[in-house]
Amino acid sequence: AMERPAVELERLDGMTRERFLRDIYPRRKPVVLTGMELGPCTTKWTVDYLSQAEGSKEVKIHVSTVPQMDFLSKNFVYRTLPFDVFVQRAAEVNHQEYFLSQDEKYYLRSVGEDARKDIADIRKQFPVLAKDVQIPEYFEKEQFFSSVFRISSAGLQLWTHYDVMDNFLIQVTGKKRVVLYSPRDAPYLYLSGTKSEVLDVDNPDMEKYPLFVKAKRYQCFLEAGDVLFIPALWFHNVISEEFGVALNVFWKHLPAESYDKTDTYGNKDPMAASRAIQILDRALKTLEELPEEYRDFYARRMVLRIQEKAYRNDYG
């Protein structure tokens, strides 16, 4: 299969809030912002400092024996560790103490006190560390949704997914490679909800996912201090090249009432989209009352109508 070369994301240095909002944000394309004021965290957050800063409070983590974590087949387990122990373990490649295997990988995605109801906010969950970070607030205060603290072992790869809110991925320490796909390429990504079934984006199974080659691949390498802007609905797959700490900030691009009130992770579709999908499912159910040739005919006409009404054709 002919691999299309990846498009390297633009790296923009010293981007002010004004320039971001005027020139970058309206384009709705991902971009890497460098040289941002992030506070002392980028130099201060060594393994030792992290371990002692928040002490031994319990955290819930993902543990996986393989580097590619798969949310759909759930090839990982959830375990609890004291934060200081977790940091030490995530930073090492081979473990004396382990849950599943000597070279298991760890991943922390911070959650609220009650994961079902509370939204992740570093200021509440990691108050000591939060003091070291200056989060670039390139949005209005009331648009803020969550700040998610993440730590991953070297080599860990997260499944490809999209979020329904805009997001800054702030790489505090360590290196990451991020592969992204435009929302327009959703038809080639074999979606199950917000997640893609294609785990290994570098060596996809072409038998199983023949359309995947059509998806245009964007990518970037994040170093400590880099900030990746990921617009809502852009798919991303994150590979930790080294042990590292990152922080995401999600904010509401749409009016607040557009979002699902029960959404704590920023991955539930906007209310209008969920309703539209329910209505479509009812329409398809209704078509089943007809014999096959009629069903086929009217389904094709419905597809055309959706295309005429809803697709943008200035494919950019």
Side-chain angles (χ1 to χ4, degrees):
M2 268 305 295
E3 281 301 316
R4 275 205 265 176
V7 180
E8 282 297 324
L9 292 189
E10 217 178 336
R11 294 177 65 88
L12 301 170
D13 193 62
M15 177 65 55
T16 61
R17 182 179 200 237
E18 296 65 44
R19 227 182 95 213
F20 177 76
L21 291 174
R22 188 187 67 222
D23 303 337
I24 308 301
Y25 197 47
R27 301 195 322 217
R28 314 296 302 147
K29 296 254 170 73
V31 54
V32 179
L33 308 175
T34 62
M36 304 269 274
E37 261 318 312
L38 299 172
C41 55
T42 47
T43 48
K44 204 170 164 183
W45 286 6
T46 59
V47 173
D48 291 337
Y49 174 75
L50 288 167
S51 313
Q52 56 88 40
E54 295 282 350
S56 57
K57 63 173 218 182
E58 302 263 282
V59 286
K60 191 175 177 191
I61 52 170
H62 302 67
V63 183
S64 171
T65 54
V66 291
Q68 277 164 344
M69 282 178 54
D70 180 356
F71 196 80
L72 298 166
S73 78
K74 294 277 197 293
N75 65 350
F76 52 84
V77 295
Y78 292 103
R79 292 289 181 266
T80 308
L81 279 178
F83 184 71
D84 49 3
V85 176
F86 158 69
V87 171
Q88 298 285 347
R89 283 215 215 163
E92 63 193 23
V93 177
N94 284 299
H95 315 295
Q96 304 287 279
E97 305 270 319
Y98 51 87
F99 295 108
L100 308 168
S101 69
Q102 214 173 340
D103 59 352
E104 65 194 13
K105 310 263 181 236
Y106 297 93
Y107 171 60
L108 164 74
R109 183 235 187 258
S110 67
V111 291
E113 292 314 308
D114 176 342
R116 284 182 308 280
K117 292 200 291 285
D118 300 331
I119 285 160
D121 184 346
I122 187 174
R123 292 166 299 196
K124 295 193 183 116
Q125 287 107 39
F126 298 92
V128 183
L129 293 174
K131 292 194 195 53
D132 298 337
V133 192
Q134 191 180 317
I135 292 177
E137 299 207 353
Y138 285 26
F139 46 89
E140 299 301 325
K141 282 260 184 284
E142 56 278 6
Q143 288 178 285
F144 172 84
F145 174 71
S146 67
S147 53
V148 181
F149 185 58
R150 297 178 194 270
I151 297 184
S152 32
S153 294
L156 187 81
Q157 180 170 14
L158 274 187
W159 55 88
T160 304
H161 67 284
Y162 71 89
D163 301 290
V164 301
M165 294 188 199
D166 288 344
N167 170 11
F168 274 156
L169 170 55
I170 302 163
Q171 192 62 27
V172 182
T173 68
K175 287 188 174 64
K176 280 201 174 85
R177 175 162 67 99
V178 186
V179 174
L180 304 99
Y181 301 94
S182 157
R184 298 237 167 142
D185 282 341
Y188 315 130
L189 297 179
Y190 298 88
L191 295 186
S192 170
T194 60
K195 298 158 187 76
S196 164
E197 290 176 21
V198 186
L199 281 186
D200 191 344
V201 292
D202 297 313
N203 302 290
D205 180 337
M206 296 316 302
E207 298 278 283
K208 216 168 160 188
Y209 309 117
L211 295 174
F212 185 70
V213 282
K214 293 185 163 199
K216 182 175 174 181
R217 174 186 183 130
Y218 294 80
Q219 75 172 12
C220 65
F221 292 89
L222 298 180
E223 307 266 337
D226 287 347
V227 176
L228 169 61
F229 167 52
I230 307 176
L233 311 184
W234 273 76
F235 295 89
H236 44 288
N237 179 290
V238 181
I239 301 114
S240 294
E241 310 251 305
E242 328 177 310
F243 163 77
V245 182
L247 182 64
N248 290 92
V249 196
F250 290 96
W251 70 91
K252 299 171 184 171
H253 172 57
L254 308 175
E257 60 278 8
S258 313
Y259 299 99
D260 187 324
K261 290 284 168 284
T262 67
D263 189 0
T264 50
Y265 291 99
N267 61 6
K268 291 195 176 175
D269 293 315
M271 300 298 272
S274 307
R275 285 203 308 275
I277 289 166
Q278 285 173 348
I279 296 167
L280 176 63
D281 286 340
R282 286 211 300 277
L284 292 170
K285 198 101 195 97
T286 311
L287 277 186
E288 282 173 18
E289 295 169 21
L290 294 164
E292 193 191 18
E293 60 184 306
Y294 287 84
R295 208 165 56 221
D296 182 274
F297 175 68
Y298 288 103
R300 284 169 199 268
R301 289 184 58 190
M302 283 162 75
V303 169
L304 282 175
R305 210 143 133 199
I306 290 177
Q307 274 179 325
E308 282 156 16
K309 282 259 185 271
Y311 278 24
R312 274 175 40 191
N313 20 11
D314 56 331
Y315 206 114

